[in-house]
Amino acid sequence: MKNNLRFFLAYIFLVGLPLSGMVGILRYGRNVAAPTGLQGTWKLLVEDSRCGPSGIPLQDITIMQSGKNLVFYLNSMRIGEGAVERSDFMASILLFPSSLPAADRVWQRKISMKGRVKDKEDPKVIEGEFDLEGGRVCGLFVFRALSTE
Amino acid sequence: MNPVSRLMLQIVVILTMCWATGKLARLTGQTRVIGEIVAGILLGPSLFGWLAPSWYLWLFPPSSIGNLNVLSQIGLIIFLFVVGLNIDMGELRRAGHAVVLASHASITIPFFCGAVLCIYLYPRFAEHTVSFTVFTLFIGASMSITAFPVLARILSETGLMQTRLGTVAIACAAVDDVTGWCILAFIVILMRALGINSLLATIGGIAVFCLIMVYGVRPVAKYFQRIYQKQGGLSTDGWALLLILIMISAFLTERIGVHPLFGAFLTGAIMPKHNDLVRYLRSQIETIVLALLLPLFFAVNGLNTSITLIHGPGLWMWTILLILVATVGKMSGSGIASFLMGMNAWEAAGLGTLMNTRGLLELVILNIGLELKIISPTIFSMMVIMTLATTSMTTPVMRWMSSRMIQSKLAEGSQRDATPSQLITVDAGSGTAA
């Protein structure tokens, strides 16, 4: 009898309580948001530039994601870092376009990049802007990237 | 290179590496599975791919991983059948209060600890396409799993198999595995269901499947026992029939929307538990599975694990936190429960340590999570390290503890004027700590 009572109380304490806690946590979790996943390889295309060429295909870039932190790779070479917050991300990267003339050195320095992921589309799409010259009109390039996975 | 030649070469490299690291693990007092997990990681992008990327891409080009994966999945299906085969539902029903409490607490407490951690992990490491509920249930399930086969091996190696501790630990691990697989099946259903109708159809489908297995297939499976008792083994036809049964179950659970491994596990669980038959089936199956097919799974697991993803002290701190939460949750759950039900402090601590062994089954679950995109490659890599850490700490800690346990039993024994062997050996059927 004493053993049964001890078992019952221990069961409530060690099994019942954690289970109730789990229910509470799952309810609380409805308000917690996770960042969008950008991990994978993306096919980049410069869609529009205010003062220069448009429709330029760039080399595929690979994004490795660790939580909110992003690391950008081009041909296995690390080219920059960024961070994602919900669906929006910002990064600072170095790009080498395959089809631009060598004279366009502008691409070969660190540029900032911001965008939004549309993960309801299949494949996933990123739309955003490269900023080459600190916000000057001619330095803004609209890009689009398609997930290759 | 011809795909078959490449596959052969991959198998040669994987088996050699697993054999070498397995030997090294045994030399350092660890179980073979630790060496094999390490072999997989060393062959993956974490070391081989990092040191010699061109050689790595030549040996393991992405297009070739599919073949390796298929072979490793077949190995896992057969291995999960063996895991199910080791589980005797009748024994579990007869288990005493200590086993019931310790096993349930060893699931709920790590599950709860994992859930608390998910409040912080989810906004940092999850993707918003995965709901908090699915992510939390998955992390909780992977925190609460215990590797039944590795545990049995450790108990046998430390000479604790026939003790009260060994009996309770084996029963608890069996309950944990059954519960863990049920929770995992539920998570997979939640992930794959396209709506409420699809969810209900999958739940209904799996319920009907379980009923058919228990009430339809189980009586028929006694045929294997009759054949074994008559012939002392299974003929080629008998083996073919058994393998067909395993594959059909795996196929059906996959089609229903759960996972093929669940079907294989259930087939093992409903097989007759005649001791000699179980031993015979295990000995016949395990050789080829353990020597050939599971190393391939370890390699695929290693190819998916990239320790370079855990870059920076922040991510390593999260990995250490994962290890701590997993260890504390698992050890405290079963340890406190068994202490409250009458085990002494050393035995209770020993049970907690044993239940913290996650081993291969944890990797199986993590790979399912990665495949279903419930967890990201980063969390996957962190959890693989957690698995490696928690599994590798078990053997040395148990060796150290077993001598303390015997001393404490001797002390108790001298008070009761009894021999130590009488004190630490119990009737395996009772399974109680009282």
Side-chain angles (χ1 to χ4, degrees):
Chain A
M1 190 65 188
K2 195 182 163 192
N3 270 349
N4 282 345
L5 180 67
R6 189 200 285 187
F7 170 76
F8 178 73
L9 290 176
Y11 201 88
I12 295 282
F13 179 69
L14 294 173
V15 181
L17 272 183
L19 277 180
S20 323
M22 273 289 299
V23 175
I25 290 169
L26 290 180
R27 280 196 181 159
Y28 171 81
R30 287 180 196 157
N31 306 319
V32 183
T36 300
L38 280 104
Q39 174 112 3
T41 305
W42 297 84
K43 200 170 269 301
L44 267 176
L45 179 75
V46 173
E47 286 211 312
D48 178 39
S49 72
R50 310 265 166 94
C51 319
S54 59
I56 309 160
L58 303 177
Q59 290 183 33
D60 293 356
I61 58 165
T62 301
I63 303 176
M64 300 294 261
Q65 185 169 6
S66 300
K68 292 182 174 181
N69 302 317
L70 308 171
V71 181
F72 291 73
Y73 290 89
L74 187 80
N75 296 329
S76 306
M77 195 176 76
R78 189 172 168 142
I79 55 165
E81 301 84 33
V84 59
E85 192 66 49
R86 302 231 174 162
S87 299
D88 297 320
F89 76 95
M90 291 188 79
S92 173
I93 62 167
L94 192 67
L95 271 184
F96 303 97
S98 55
S99 55
L100 276 183
D104 274 316
R105 299 282 177 211
V106 67
W107 291 92
Q108 293 180 13
R109 63 170 192 259
K110 281 261 181 187
I111 56 173
S112 63
M113 176 185 189
K114 62 180 179 182
R116 172 165 287 186
V117 187
K118 295 186 170 178
D119 58 1
K120 295 244 162 46
E121 294 185 24
D122 189 25
K124 275 197 239 182
V125 174
I126 300 175
E127 285 178 353
E129 264 183 359
F130 289 123
D131 182 358
L132 277 74
E133 293 177 7
R136 283 175 54 194
V137 175
C138 284
L140 293 176
F141 288 78
V142 176
F143 74 89
R144 189 176 160 84
L146 291 178
S147 170
T148 59
E149 285 160 20
Chain B
M1 193 192 290
N2 173 325
V4 178
S5 307
R6 191 183 302 274
L7 183 63
M8 296 301 124
L9 188 63
Q10 288 171 341
I11 292 175
V12 168
V13 173
I14 291 165
L15 293 188
T16 310
M17 194 70 181
C18 282
W19 173 79
T21 50
K23 276 265 178 214
L24 204 64
R26 304 282 295 148
L27 282 175
T28 53
Q30 287 289 349
T31 49
R32 192 184 147 91
V33 71
I34 293 291
E36 291 174 330
I37 297 173
V38 172
I41 295 173
L42 298 181
L43 283 174
S46 304
L47 187 77
F48 182 38
W50 178 66
L51 284 178
S54 53
W55 285 37
Y56 171 75
L57 281 173
W58 179 79
L59 186 61
F60 297 111
S63 58
S64 72
I65 306 303
N67 296 334
L68 263 184
N69 200 23
V70 167
L71 277 179
S72 79
Q73 288 299 315
I74 290 172
L76 276 188
I77 285 172
I78 300 172
F79 177 72
L80 260 290
F81 166 77
V82 176
V83 174
L85 193 65
N86 284 319
I87 287 172
D88 187 343
M89 295 296 186
E91 281 289 322
L92 296 188
R93 274 198 295 272
R94 289 189 290 276
H97 280 171
V99 172
V100 172
L101 183 65
S103 59
H104 290 185
S106 76
I107 296 166
T108 52
I109 293 184
F111 218 110
F112 173 74
C113 294
V116 172
L117 191 61
C118 281
I119 296 174
Y120 303 97
L121 285 178
Y122 183 74
R124 287 171 176 83
F125 299 104
E127 273 192 32
H128 82 288
T129 45
V130 178
S131 72
F132 180 82
T133 304
V134 168
F135 183 78
T136 304
L137 289 178
F138 182 83
I139 296 288
S142 53
M143 291 266 181
S144 57
I145 205 82
T146 295
F148 187 87
V150 181
L151 181 78
R153 213 179 296 174
I154 292 173
L155 283 173
S156 149
E157 282 172 9
T158 48
L160 292 167
M161 185 61 104
Q162 298 307 318
T163 63
R164 171 169 69 178
L165 173 62
T167 313
V168 175
I170 282 287
C172 287
V175 175
D176 279 19
D177 274 5
V178 173
T179 316
W181 280 99
C182 290
I183 295 168
L184 189 71
F186 180 66
I187 296 168
V188 176
I189 291 170
L190 280 183
M191 266 310 274
R192 286 186 168 175
L194 298 170
I196 189 75
N197 289 342
S198 156
L199 180 71
L200 291 176
T202 310
I203 292 174
I206 200 68
V208 170
F209 175 77
C210 289
L211 287 175
I212 291 174
M213 289 298 277
V214 173
Y215 295 106
V217 180
R218 195 181 187 183
V220 179
K222 289 194 174 137
Y223 157 82
F224 293 107
Q225 185 177 331
R226 282 198 297 275
I227 294 286
Y228 176 78
Q229 282 171 328
K230 203 185 282 179
Q231 302 173 353
L234 290 187
S235 63
T236 312
D237 290 342
W239 274 108
L241 210 60
L242 181 62
L243 289 171
I244 290 170
L245 182 64
I246 298 169
M247 292 301 161
I248 285 181
S249 305
F251 170 76
L252 286 176
T253 44
E254 166 69 17
R255 295 309 301 161
I256 290 169
V258 188
H259 199 278
L261 296 181
F262 185 74
F265 177 77
L266 193 61
T267 310
I270 58 133
M271 286 295 284
K273 301 302 171 192
H274 182 266
N275 279 346
D276 291 341
L277 173 68
V278 169
R279 209 172 299 129
Y280 167 76
L281 290 177
R282 272 179 48 188
S283 66
Q284 295 290 308
I285 294 174
E286 275 185 350
T287 314
I288 195 77
V289 173
L290 294 183
L292 173 68
L293 298 174
L294 283 188
L296 302 187
F297 168 72
F298 288 118
V300 171
N301 178 71
L303 296 179
N304 286 330
T305 308
S306 180
I307 292 174
T308 52
L309 281 176
I310 311 169
H311 52 82
L315 290 178
W316 279 106
M317 286 307 289
W318 278 107
T319 311
I320 292 168
L321 192 63
L322 262 175
I323 297 170
L324 280 176
V325 171
T327 307
V328 170
K330 201 68 186 171
M331 288 183 78
S332 60
S334 42
I336 295 172
S338 51
F339 183 71
L340 288 177
M341 294 314 291
M343 276 191 172
N344 71 34
W346 282 111
E347 280 182 316
L351 182 67
T353 307
L354 284 168
M355 299 304 287
N356 196 31
T357 311
R358 288 182 177 81
L360 174 60
L361 287 180
E362 176 79 9
L363 295 187
V364 174
I365 287 181
L366 293 179
N367 276 276
I368 292 175
L370 186 69
E371 177 194 321
L372 294 173
K373 298 194 171 155
I374 298 172
I375 51 171
S376 65
T378 310
I379 274 276
F380 174 83
S381 302
M382 289 157 85
M383 296 286 276
V384 168
I385 291 175
M386 181 272 282
T387 308
L388 198 58
T390 54
T391 310
S392 60
M393 70 174 76
T394 307
T395 310
V397 174
M398 274 319 290
R399 285 220 176 89
W400 178 76
M401 274 189 177
S402 58
S403 59
R404 261 87 190 154
M405 271 182 247
I406 290 168
Q407 279 169 12
S408 78
K409 279 294 172 190
L410 278 170
E412 281 176 31
S414 63
Q415 286 169 6
R416 294 184 209 157
D417 195 27
T419 63
S421 62
Q422 278 172 330
L423 281 160
I424 60 171
T425 306
V426 290
D427 171 20
S430 73
T432 60

